Amino acid sequence: MGRTRRASLITGLTAAVAVALAAGLYWFQPWKLWQDETVTESLPGTVVDVSRDPGAEPEESPSSSAPTGPVTVSSGDLISHEHPTTGTVRLVRLADGSQVIRLERLDTSNGPDLRVWLTDAPVKEGRAGWHVFDDGAHVSLGKLKGNKGSQNYPLPDGVDPSRYSSVTIWCDRFDVSFGAAALTDAGDTTATHGN
């Protein structure tokens, strides 16, 4: 009877450890730290002729109906928080009046449930800045498309970007910022960068 009870206990413990391990792997997704996903999107409203020059900068779209090309309204450089993060963030007004947050030359770690948030929180260096972005107003612009490269995130209709002062790469699962940028007025500079 003792052997049967001991075998049942060992089987139960093994099953519990297996379930805990599976749950931990699902929750933390540690393999993502070694998986990079690069996304390279052109800025909407710009045209790149890669046949002419593969490293060329985009040109303004030759649309006669659009009064102006894309315009940078505000911008900032990403700083590292929970994970090393670099790149530039720009708020760009397109010729049709819509606006996008553009991440350029982004380089950060991959992780579970990463989002791009437009927020009203101040960007703070170091650990003091890791958890501030869900304290105030924020708008999720969607899942991070890739942890490297240049990518666009349209602002939803009705969002007034003047109410927000920063952008964060936010890990929604662990409520922590991977990196963030404070947005400062760019003086309406024509935006033709695309890399």
Side-chain angles (χ1 to χ4, degrees):
M1 191 71 176
R3 282 186 180 171
T4 304
R5 186 176 299 162
R6 192 174 316 140
S8 294
L9 181 60
I10 290 171
T11 301
L13 285 174
T14 302
V17 167
V19 167
L21 182 60
L25 286 173
Y26 170 76
W27 189 252
F28 288 95
Q29 299 177 2
W31 58 87
K32 285 197 170 188
L33 292 174
W34 295 278
Q35 294 177 334
D36 289 330
E37 188 169 347
T38 301
V39 173
T40 305
E41 294 180 332
S42 294
L43 181 63
T46 58
V47 178
V48 179
D49 183 1
V50 292
S51 64
R52 178 179 48 106
D53 180 2
E57 294 287 319
E59 300 171 1
E60 289 184 27
S61 178
S63 168
S64 59
S65 63
T68 61
V71 174
T72 299
V73 177
S74 57
S75 64
D77 292 326
L78 287 161
I79 66 166
S80 299
H81 280 147
E82 170 72 15
H83 292 269
T85 302
T86 59
T88 302
V89 176
R90 294 192 297 144
L91 171 64
V92 179
R93 185 176 59 246
L94 303 177
D96 65 3
S98 64
Q99 298 186 77
V100 298
I101 289 293
R102 178 159 174 81
L103 306 180
E104 293 181 335
R105 296 175 306 281
L106 173 65
D107 189 355
T108 190
S109 298
N110 208 337
D113 204 14
L114 295 181
R115 308 284 173 149
V116 177
W117 279 11
L118 183 62
T119 82
D120 68 351
V123 175
K124 299 177 182 178
E125 301 242 358
R127 291 182 68 93
W130 288 18
H131 303 283
V132 300
F133 298 99
D134 59 349
D135 293 342
H138 60 273
V139 175
S140 178
L141 303 179
K143 288 191 173 196
L144 185 68
K145 298 173 184 177
N147 63 306
K148 295 184 181 297
S150 297
Q151 47 211 266
N152 307 302
Y153 297 86
L155 268 61
D157 291 339
V159 171
D160 177 4
S162 67
R163 294 184 54 221
Y164 303 96
S165 59
S166 60
V167 171
T168 180
I169 308 300
W170 184 257
C171 180
D172 211 23
R173 180 162 297 167
F174 295 105
D175 295 328
V176 67
S177 172
F178 274 34
L183 297 174
T184 56
D185 184 21
D188 284 2
T189 306
T190 300
T192 57
H193 300 90
N195 53 356

